Amino acid sequence: MLLLQQIINGLMMGGIYVLVAVSFTLTIGVLNFLNFSIPGIFMLSAIMAWRALENGWHWGLAIPFGLLVAICASFVVERFTYRFMKNVDHEIPLVSSIGFLILFENLVLVAWGSDQQKFPSLIPDLNIRAGGLIIGIGQMLSLALALLLVIGISLLLKRTQLGRGIRALAENAETATLLGIEVHRIVPVLFVVTGLLTGISGILFAMNYQQVSAAMGDVVGLKGIAAMVIGGMGNIWGAIIGGLLIGLTEVLSIYFFGADKVDFYVYGLFLVLIILRPQGILGSSAATGVKL
Amino acid sequence: MSGYAEAILLMLAINVVVAQAGYLPLAAGQLNLGVAGFMAIGAYVSAFVTNTYDLPIVLGIVSGAFAAWLVAVLLAVPLLRASGIYLALATFALGQVIQAVFLNLEVVGAAAGYAVKKHASFSLIMTTTATVLALVFLLSRTRFALYLTAVKNDPVVSDLFGINVRMIKVQAFSLGALIAGVGGALYAHQYSYLEPQNFNILLSVYIVLYVLLGGTQTVLGPILGAFFFTLLPELLRGSEQWRYVVFALFIIALMALRPQGLITTELLRRLTLRRESKG
């Protein structure tokens, strides 16, 4: 029974990783750009929502405010990374996005210090108890929200004009331009979408674990990268599987082997997969496959 | 020399060494985000050897470097199946795994940390740094450096011209790890206490930043990058966080304005030409 409880907790945590992994996978799949600023944006949205709540704002205003900051931050990252990435080595935008991660974290440290702050619990602390299992309503809602968002993104990509543009860009930027797709308009929108997704995951994390800190994005962000790779880079459905799998691996390795060994198993799985199956569990062949 | 200046110089020496560890793979087009892992291997192995067998520090450095090199050679063949961003991610995961291994290795103190009994003298660290730099400079004068650039710029054409691309890639990767091992061993015997958390992803990222800021085309680039990164925070007095804010802004600006790094072969050529025309 305890094991089953751990599996449930793992899936709940996995929901957060799913959203972060989708953000990573969108920028990798479309632009072949590993956006390291995502953990910073994750943290920024939660911290800004926390500040707004501390100043007495209603949560209905505080949460959109956090999301707005996340979107703006993501937009600024686009201006200074992707725009300059033409004709340079592929590691350059990655390095500038690391610059943004360091910038965001240290700005927050300057303003509010490194202490872990308490984030008020916005969802009533209700639990469903079924046959000895405890399922938190808040966590369940956020897992459901994460899955819904991913389905939404996937519909957006499949059904809308914007989605078709993004998929064309993912296939081949040059051909997309020739076919009249305005790449310079689509890319900023893509960053707005990933900023929003990352922001939502940051606030969900803060609500579920009732804490925020300047460093909160680091561990989640790195696990999000692992989730993306395991599911298959550039594959949205893969991000779901990867995220949930990382959540499960994490709690199960804590359960069976102890907390110190978690990273060994999570990143060990990541390392073995990227060598043996770089396209991930769901990804099609990396060289020729259809992305997104 | 004051204690402060000496401490800065020692930190600078170690950073200059590890910058070369990031440079060699990058010169062949490999972004190694696991350099800190190889540093950890060098640090722990050298510390274990000097602690347990009471060997001189020099032998500790050699064993640490050899251990890091050996791990890199064994892992290079599967790892280098990946390239580009996949390789960067694979090395990132490798760094995390190595860190997790030391976090659980009881024989070197696991999470509690590991005290290093012997302390390296100032002159030993400086001599080692000078030796590493001299060797890398010599290497940059050989055809090997040319092969690295060729493999980086176009692996397919390099292959057609008869370069053993896989061999060059493995050599660049494992030589980088060897130097990272030396850097780690110096670190261990300078700071006298090792914790797995010291060798995290951020350290790897900083090492890569030294190289990219300085420029990947010359051996001088990473040295300048390491100087810059070590001395800039010291010059920017004030709170530590503000230093990093300025530092981050600098990274972003430099990557946007001069993505090829501060020093390029073009720049060196122009500088030397000017000097010749004056003379």
Side-chain angles (χ1 to χ4, degrees):
Chain A
M1 204 43 106
L2 195 56
L3 181 63
L4 201 59
Q5 180 70 53
Q6 290 302 319
I7 290 177
I8 290 173
N9 294 348
L11 289 176
M12 301 291 178
M13 187 63 217
I16 306 278
Y17 296 147
V18 167
L19 283 181
V20 179
V22 168
S23 299
F24 276 116
T25 225
L26 277 173
T27 40
I28 286 242
V30 180
L31 306 174
N32 201 23
F33 164 33
L34 180 61
N35 184 355
F36 252 107
S37 71
I38 285 176
I41 294 171
F42 177 92
M43 175 274 301
L44 264 188
S45 77
I47 288 273
M48 291 326 250
W50 163 70
R51 278 317 302 168
L53 287 168
E54 288 285 293
N55 285 332
W57 292 25
H58 187 260
W59 63 266
L61 277 175
I63 290 177
F65 175 64
L67 295 180
L68 187 70
V69 173
I71 289 172
C72 292
S74 186
F75 191 71
V76 172
V77 171
E78 189 268 341
R79 293 283 105 169
F80 284 93
T81 55
Y82 178 74
R83 287 232 305 186
F84 292 96
M85 84 189 279
K86 283 143 204 156
N87 308 322
V88 294
D89 291 343
H90 67 89
E91 62 264 10
I92 302 299
L94 190 154
V95 169
S96 343
S97 70
I98 292 174
F100 274 105
L101 175 63
I102 300 173
L103 179 68
F104 293 153
E105 287 192 356
N106 284 286
L107 280 177
V108 168
L109 283 174
V110 166
W112 300 295
S114 62
D115 292 343
Q116 214 164 59
Q117 309 284 355
K118 190 161 166 38
F119 194 88
S121 140
L122 299 174
I123 303 172
D125 199 17
L126 285 176
N127 293 317
I128 298 177
R129 286 165 194 277
L133 294 176
I134 305 168
I135 304 170
I137 298 260
Q139 287 178 313
M140 211 164 68
L141 280 179
S142 60
L143 178 61
L145 183 62
L147 297 181
L148 273 179
L149 276 170
V150 178
I151 293 169
I153 291 286
S154 144
L155 284 178
L156 176 97
L157 286 173
K158 282 235 163 66
R159 298 282 161 83
T160 64
Q161 186 69 31
L162 172 69
R164 275 188 285 275
I166 291 178
R167 280 186 293 143
L169 181 56
E171 284 298 319
N172 188 323
E174 241 169 69
T175 317
T177 315
L178 283 176
L179 291 175
I181 288 163
E182 290 178 286
V183 174
H184 64 282
R185 288 220 182 138
I186 288 189
V187 174
V189 176
L190 189 73
F191 275 81
V192 166
V193 171
T194 56
L196 179 66
L197 281 179
T198 313
I200 293 175
S201 57
I203 291 179
L204 284 179
F205 181 88
M207 276 161 56
N208 282 331
Y209 297 91
Q210 287 165 34
Q211 60 188 36
V212 290
S213 69
M216 67 187 274
D218 293 354
V219 174
V220 179
L222 296 182
K223 297 259 167 71
I225 294 179
M228 166 195 72
V229 170
I230 288 169
M233 284 204 251
N235 186 314
I236 291 182
W237 299 105
I240 296 191
I241 296 195
L244 297 180
L245 203 62
I246 290 282
L248 278 180
T249 311
E250 200 177 39
V251 291
L252 291 182
S253 45
I254 292 177
Y255 182 82
F256 286 114
F257 310 110
D260 278 346
K261 297 193 172 60
V262 175
D263 276 7
F264 182 75
Y265 289 99
V266 167
Y267 291 104
L269 178 66
F270 171 1
L271 184 61
V272 169
L273 261 175
I274 202 167
I275 289 170
L276 294 182
R277 202 176 152 75
Q279 67 273 42
I281 293 178
L282 279 195
S284 43
S285 162
T288 58
V290 180
K291 289 177 184 169
L292 298 172
Chain B
M1 195 170 6
S2 74
Y4 174 72
E6 196 176 304
I8 297 288
L9 273 178
L10 286 169
M11 192 161 73
L12 186 62
I14 295 174
N15 285 347
V16 163
V17 171
V18 294
Q20 295 300 331
Y23 162 70
L24 278 174
L26 259 173
Q30 306 160 358
L31 183 61
N32 185 347
L33 291 179
V35 190
F38 292 111
M39 263 185 89
I41 296 176
Y44 274 101
V45 169
S46 68
F48 182 78
V49 167
T50 55
N51 270 3
T52 318
Y53 305 109
D54 200 32
L55 290 179
I57 294 176
V58 176
L59 282 181
I61 295 174
V62 171
S63 359
F66 178 74
W69 176 81
L70 191 67
V71 172
V73 167
L74 292 177
L75 290 174
V77 174
L79 265 183
L80 293 171
R81 281 167 48 120
S83 64
I85 209 128
Y86 287 84
L87 179 65
L89 284 168
T91 52
F92 155 69
L94 177 66
Q96 299 287 95
V97 170
I98 293 176
Q99 201 193 339
V101 167
F102 285 115
L103 197 64
N104 290 288
L105 214 56
E106 291 296 340
V107 68
V108 286
Y114 189 55
V116 186
K117 287 180 203 147
K118 291 198 171 174
H119 190 79
S121 66
F122 183 79
S123 59
L124 177 65
I125 290 184
M126 289 304 161
T127 321
T128 315
T129 306
T131 314
V132 169
L133 285 186
L135 289 177
V136 178
F137 263 113
L138 282 178
L139 199 64
S140 75
R141 294 278 168 204
T142 64
R143 296 190 72 84
F144 180 70
L146 212 58
Y147 293 156
L148 288 183
T149 317
V151 168
K152 177 187 174 160
N153 288 340
D154 200 325
V156 178
V157 174
S158 315
D159 197 23
L160 286 173
F161 274 87
I163 296 176
N164 187 342
V165 172
R166 166 148 292 182
M167 187 56 127
I168 294 293
K169 281 184 170 176
V170 170
Q171 282 173 342
F173 185 75
S174 51
L175 276 178
L178 178 99
I179 297 176
V182 174
L186 292 181
Y187 179 96
H189 292 90
Q190 160 62 15
Y191 295 103
S192 303
Y193 200 75
L194 295 175
E195 280 180 286
Q197 292 87 333
N198 296 145
F199 303 97
N200 57 15
I201 171 75
L202 209 59
L203 179 60
S204 297
V205 165
Y206 280 136
I207 294 171
V208 168
L209 286 180
Y210 300 154
V211 184
L212 288 174
L213 267 179
T216 53
Q217 298 174 359
T218 62
V219 181
L220 269 179
I223 299 178
L224 184 80
F227 261 81
F228 198 86
F229 266 69
T230 316
L231 300 181
L232 181 75
E234 296 304 321
L235 295 175
L236 295 168
R237 293 291 170 171
S239 86
E240 195 181 351
Q241 279 81 38
W242 275 116
R243 289 179 186 182
Y244 279 104
V245 169
V246 175
F247 177 66
L249 287 173
F250 189 81
I251 295 168
I252 296 162
L254 195 80
M255 286 296 120
L257 301 174
R258 198 173 163 80
Q260 67 273 48
L262 288 171
I263 296 186
T264 57
T265 39
E266 173 68 21
L267 178 79
L268 285 183
R269 201 169 53 82
R270 256 197 274 162
L271 284 177
T272 45
L273 274 182
R274 197 171 298 164
R275 217 174 289 152
E276 276 163 18
S277 61
K278 266 183 198 163

